[in-house]
Amino acid sequence: MQPRGTRFEIPHWPFPRRLPTYAVWLMDYDNNSNIFICGRCCGGKGRQMGVYLSGMLFALGWWMFVDGLSFSSILPDRKVFAGFEDWAPGIVTTLGMIIVCLIDKEALRGSTYDDGIPWRARLFLFVGFAFMAGGFAGSVSVLVVKYVMHDFEPLDSYVGIGTVIQCGLIMLSTAVLWISQESGSDNYLGI
């Protein structure tokens, strides 16, 4: 097997051609690896960039919500006040993110020493995704019921819009972090 980044000759063509570098990377890819191929195209920093991108998306999501709260508190004639129903979707989505990212990928594949681990890991993965989907659905329903149905101006409904954006960014952050994680017993994130 050729080292990564080199090109091989293909002998059966009438003239010498070389495979592009990305084809060599894909040929090195096997089923036991995880799906994060960008680690190969970005050098050794691909996973680290994924972890940092995930953190930035998570922080941006919560920043959008806090920005909506602070903006709505300085409106001179606000018609709606933020309550716990505005906080709950972000909290539930964050709990879902924590549950999903704590699951070891090796436990999802199964092992020979305990047959009960894969179904438990899959159950917790389902619960984590259910929390995230429930949080996102809750943010959309709060936006529609509390802000859109009462025909508030867009400035008054900025908290609801910020909550939907927050939950979407947290879900995107979870996907990026899940892809960036290595499978293995050490759960090394590459920070």
Side-chain angles (χ1 to χ4, degrees):
M1 168 109 5
Q2 297 282 335
R4 289 186 192 155
T6 62
R7 300 172 182 250
F8 348 111
E9 297 287 331
I10 301 178
H12 63 277
W13 285 357
F15 49 91
R17 301 213 42 176
R18 295 179 182 267
L19 284 175
T21 307
Y22 67 86
V24 174
W25 290 335
L26 291 176
M27 288 179 5
D28 286 343
Y29 181 73
D30 61 347
N31 289 333
N32 293 331
S33 300
N34 58 13
I35 63 172
F36 195 70
I37 299 173
C38 275
R40 297 177 181 174
C41 64
C42 298
K45 301 290 184 183
R47 292 186 200 284
Q48 188 175 11
M49 288 173 22
V51 170
Y52 288 141
L53 177 65
S54 173
M56 287 189 295
L57 290 171
F58 181 78
L60 183 63
W62 273 101
W63 180 81
M64 286 295 295
F65 176 70
V66 171
D67 182 54
L69 286 177
S70 62
F71 181 75
S72 71
S73 68
I74 62 169
L75 286 176
D77 56 346
R78 61 181 166 167
K79 299 172 185 76
V80 65
F81 294 93
F84 181 72
E85 66 275 2
D86 295 311
W87 285 84
I91 293 170
V92 169
T93 307
T94 301
L95 287 175
M97 177 188 184
I98 292 169
I99 292 171
V100 166
C101 291
L102 284 177
I103 296 174
D104 184 21
K105 289 183 182 180
E106 290 297 319
L108 290 173
R109 291 184 186 156
S111 62
T112 57
Y113 63 89
D114 189 7
D115 292 334
I117 289 180
W119 74 266
R120 289 182 199 138
R122 292 175 188 146
L123 176 68
F124 276 103
L125 186 67
F126 174 75
V127 167
F129 281 123
F131 268 51
M132 287 193 305
F136 187 76
S139 68
V140 171
S141 64
V142 166
L143 174 66
V144 169
V145 171
K146 188 174 179 180
Y147 298 103
V148 174
M149 288 181 63
H150 296 291
D151 293 328
F152 290 125
E153 295 178 12
L155 292 177
D156 290 322
S157 61
Y158 185 61
V159 175
I161 294 168
T163 305
V164 172
I165 293 171
Q166 171 198 22
C167 291
L169 287 174
I170 291 173
M171 290 174 73
L172 185 62
S173 169
T174 305
V176 170
L177 187 60
W178 179 261
I179 290 171
S180 298
Q181 284 179 336
E182 287 188 28
S183 61
S185 60
D186 56 355
N187 286 332
Y188 176 67
L189 290 177
I191 298 176

